[in-house]
């Protein structure tokens, strides 16, 4: 990978040098995988689930014992899409050899009804799915599983944004995936997703196919004592400086959310030699200003009461009791019952979350923007 100009990475993973800590999580992940346990990786948004999976996979691959496949279901809105994404990820990982396609991958490709073409510019092989009539999803999944099963090394498949499966029209989508994972017991799976509620429900509700089928691993914010030396180290390497006190204030404002911390540090690194508090204030205002167009859509997406309650929660952070008279009167929210209904709806969408008995606007930047309104 090329060395980035700015060491504070904003898009998933760019190698170990730009990845802070997570040592204990890596140990836990490895423990589970080496002992044959599947994993559900869950956390609040943008804490670094996907980046951690990439980091972990780099480690597994370099150990020489494992081959890994990472697939993202974010854009997969049907069972068909999901199977295609999986096929593409497997093809990307194993099909791009210089020596031509191996017989086993050719077999897999034809059994899912796909063909291989060549990119006219780069000359690399590409997978064309759905050209021929495709078999049923179960059959395709089976063919993909068989292919992975026949690899000499152990296989770990990470499915990111896995909660998507629970939204498919096909009511048995979860059951199909569950049956698939059971059919190939030597393949290890990591299920991860950005909707924490949906993810945990899939694995914790008794009547759901994935009930108790994997070990839950929850990701917490990176501890300040790990983040401070990481940030200072990158500044110092460029003869720049940032104080411990300032970093603490950033972590606090970002509520420990990795993405927001990275974003602020990315700006400060590019703009400052010696970071001062006024620089941090300027950068925060700039960042919120840039998000304005997106955030301004929220009032349109919500009912009037929902929007008022939403805003009040942001302003009141940390809020313990949203149904208390003090809170409702202070922000003139109206009847307790309608506040309660609004909160339930906001929670269902994970716009509001409850963490350690505190009600929070989930998206940190949105919370900070609303608090300023
Ligand atoms: N350990 C880390 N050190 C440095 N940067 C990190 C680390 N983990 C994640 N990041 C950065 O934080 C941001 C969020 O990470 P990532 O996309 O992995 O989070 P996520 O939990 O998968 O988010 P989402 O909830 O949107 O799926 C990215 O910009 C990523 O580069
Ligand atoms: Mg992610």
């Amino acid at each position: 990978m090329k060395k980035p100009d700015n060491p504070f990475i904003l898009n998933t993973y760019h190698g170990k040098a730009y990845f802070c800590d997570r040592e204990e999580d890596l140990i836990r992940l490895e423990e589970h995988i080496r002992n044959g346990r599947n994993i559900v990786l869950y956390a609040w948004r943008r804490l670094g689930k996907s980046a951690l999976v990439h980091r972990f996979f780099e480690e597994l691959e370099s150990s020489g014992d494992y081959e890994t496949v990472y697939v993202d279901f974010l854009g997969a809105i049907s069972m068909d899409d999901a199977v295609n994404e999986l096929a593409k990820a497997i093809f990307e990982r194993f099909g791009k050899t210089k020596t031509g396609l191996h017989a086993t991958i050719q077999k897999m490709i034809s059994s899912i009804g796909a063909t291989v073409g060549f990119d006219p510019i780069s000359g690399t092989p590409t997978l064309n799915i759905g050209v021929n009539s495709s078999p049923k999803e179960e059959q395709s999944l089976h063919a993909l599983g068989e292919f992975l099963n026949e690899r000499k090394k152990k296989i770990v498949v990470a499915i990111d944004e896995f909660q998507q499966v629970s939204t498919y029209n096909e009511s048995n989508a979860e059951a199909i995936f569950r049956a698939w994972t059971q059919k190939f017991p030597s393949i290890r799976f990591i299920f991860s997703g950005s909707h924490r509620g949906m993810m945990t429900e899939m694995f914790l509700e008794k009547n759901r196919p994935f009930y108790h089928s994997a070990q839950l691993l929850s990701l917490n914010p990176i501890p300040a004592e790990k983040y401070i030396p990481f940030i200072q180290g990158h500044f110092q390497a460029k003869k720049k400086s940032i104080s411990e006190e300032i970093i603490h204030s950033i972590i606090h404002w970002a509520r420990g959310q990795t993405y927001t911390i990275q974003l602020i540090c990315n700006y400060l690194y590019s703009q400052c030699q010696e970071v001062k508090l006024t620089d941090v204030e300027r950068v925060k205002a700039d960042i919120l200003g840039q998000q304005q167009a997106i955030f301004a859509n929220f009032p349109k997406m919500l009912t009037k009461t929902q929007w008022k309650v939403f805003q009040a929660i942001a302003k009141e952070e940390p809020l313990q009791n949203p149904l208390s008279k003090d809170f409702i009167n202070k922000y003139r929210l109206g009847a307790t019952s309608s506040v309660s209904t609004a909160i339930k709806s906001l929670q269902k969408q994970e716009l509001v979350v409850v963490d350690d008995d505190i009600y929070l606007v989930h998206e940190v930047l949105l919370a900070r923007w609303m608090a300023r309104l």
Side-chain angles (χ1 to χ4, degrees):
M1 264 189 251
K2 280 186 197 141
K3 194 171 181 247
D5 292 328
N6 192 313
F8 297 99
I9 303 299
L10 302 175
N11 42 13
T12 313
Y13 186 63
H14 214 284
K16 205 171 161 178
Y18 310 101
F19 187 84
C20 174
D21 188 41
R22 295 283 181 224
E23 292 304 322
E24 281 176 24
D25 303 294
L26 285 165
I27 291 169
R28 259 182 237 131
L29 283 167
E30 178 158 357
E31 241 262 321
H32 285 317
I33 293 300
R34 290 206 184 266
N35 288 287
R37 307 171 201 138
N38 293 339
I39 302 163
V40 185
L41 182 62
Y42 71 101
W44 298 122
R45 291 229 46 204
R46 296 184 164 195
L47 267 183
K49 300 173 289 291
S50 305
L52 176 62
V53 172
H54 287 294
R55 167 85 182 83
F56 178 51
F57 275 9
E58 191 177 83
E59 203 92 325
L60 280 183
E61 293 266 357
S62 65
S63 77
D65 302 336
Y66 289 89
E67 287 174 326
T68 59
V69 178
Y70 174 88
V71 52
D72 188 348
F73 277 5
L74 186 64
I77 55 166
S78 67
M79 191 66 198
D80 201 29
D81 284 352
V83 174
N84 288 352
E85 285 303 323
L86 200 55
K88 271 194 259 167
I90 292 172
F91 181 76
E92 285 287 319
R93 174 64 182 78
F94 300 107
K96 305 226 151 174
T97 55
K98 290 195 183 73
T99 51
L101 290 177
H102 198 268
T104 53
I105 198 153
Q106 263 170 357
K107 188 176 126 203
M108 181 277 277
I109 290 163
S110 63
S111 48
I112 62 168
T115 57
V116 174
F118 287 91
D119 185 298
I121 298 163
S122 65
T124 51
T126 53
L127 192 66
N128 305 319
I129 307 178
V131 186
N132 303 330
S133 64
S134 311
K136 273 186 73 86
E137 285 96 10
E138 278 112 312
Q139 275 166 274
S140 292
L141 276 177
H142 189 77
L144 295 171
E146 296 241 279
F147 169 77
L148 294 175
N149 217 23
E150 280 166 23
R151 302 288 310 173
K152 284 201 195 74
K153 290 188 183 175
K154 289 174 235 166
I155 298 285
V156 187
V157 177
I159 307 184
D160 209 347
E161 304 300 346
F162 186 64
Q163 77 276 344
Q164 287 286 61
V165 173
S166 70
T167 67
Y168 296 165
N169 278 339
E170 297 88 345
S171 58
N172 58 346
E174 277 175 59
I176 292 174
F177 271 102
R178 174 75 180 121
W180 182 59
T181 63
Q182 281 173 313
K183 232 183 257 169
F184 299 101
S186 63
I187 302 175
R188 291 280 62 75
F189 291 91
I190 299 174
F191 305 100
S192 174
S194 60
H195 198 295
R196 183 170 125 158
M198 281 163 93
M199 282 299 290
T200 47
E201 278 163 20
M202 282 174 89
F203 290 85
L204 290 178
E205 282 179 3
K206 266 207 179 100
N207 55 352
R208 303 282 284 268
F210 276 94
Y211 175 64
H212 273 195
S213 66
Q215 309 302 307
L216 268 65
L217 189 78
S218 115
L219 207 59
N220 291 314
I222 296 169
E225 65 268 25
K226 295 284 164 52
Y227 230 142
I228 291 167
F230 173 84
I231 295 170
Q232 286 187 324
H234 282 299
F235 271 80
Q236 278 154 15
K238 217 37 200 299
K239 303 218 165 14
K240 292 167 182 273
S241 73
I242 181 166
S243 73
E244 211 175 302
E245 190 192 352
I246 285 184
I247 300 175
H248 271 297
S249 81
I250 296 169
I251 294 176
H252 181 73
W253 191 82
R255 244 196 249 137
Q257 190 193 56
T258 317
Y259 172 75
T260 304
I261 297 168
Q262 291 285 121
L263 186 64
I264 295 174
C265 289
N266 180 293
Y267 273 80
L268 291 171
Y269 181 89
S270 75
Q271 295 178 1
C272 313
Q273 203 55 38
E274 188 188 323
V275 179
K276 296 182 201 62
L277 271 175
T278 50
D279 298 316
V280 181
E281 290 312 314
R282 185 188 65 247
V283 163
K284 287 195 275 196
D286 279 356
I287 290 171
L288 295 181
Q290 283 176 41
Q291 303 279 325
Q292 170 97 8
I294 301 166
F295 293 158
N297 281 320
F298 274 87
K300 296 177 210 155
M301 286 159 39
L302 303 172
T303 67
K304 215 167 163 192
T305 314
Q306 284 169 357
W307 172 243
K308 274 172 81 177
V309 172
F310 197 33
Q311 221 179 309
I313 294 174
K315 288 183 191 285
E316 197 63 17
E317 181 176 331
L319 169 67
Q320 253 169 341
N321 184 3
L323 299 182
S324 74
K325 273 213 176 73
D326 285 350
F327 175 68
I328 291 180
N329 291 341
K330 181 172 171 187
Y331 296 96
R332 299 165 195 248
L333 300 176
T336 312
S337 60
S338 47
V339 174
S340 166
T341 313
I343 289 184
K344 281 199 190 104
S345 159
L346 292 166
Q347 275 188 281
K348 196 162 171 16
Q349 300 172 71
E350 271 196 0
L351 290 171
V352 167
V353 297
V354 183
D355 193 20
D356 272 345
D357 293 328
I358 303 284
Y359 286 74
L360 297 166
V361 168
H362 194 178
E363 198 54 69
V364 181
L365 291 176
L366 176 60
R368 301 303 179 232
W369 179 77
M370 286 198 293
R372 291 180 181 198
L373 290 178

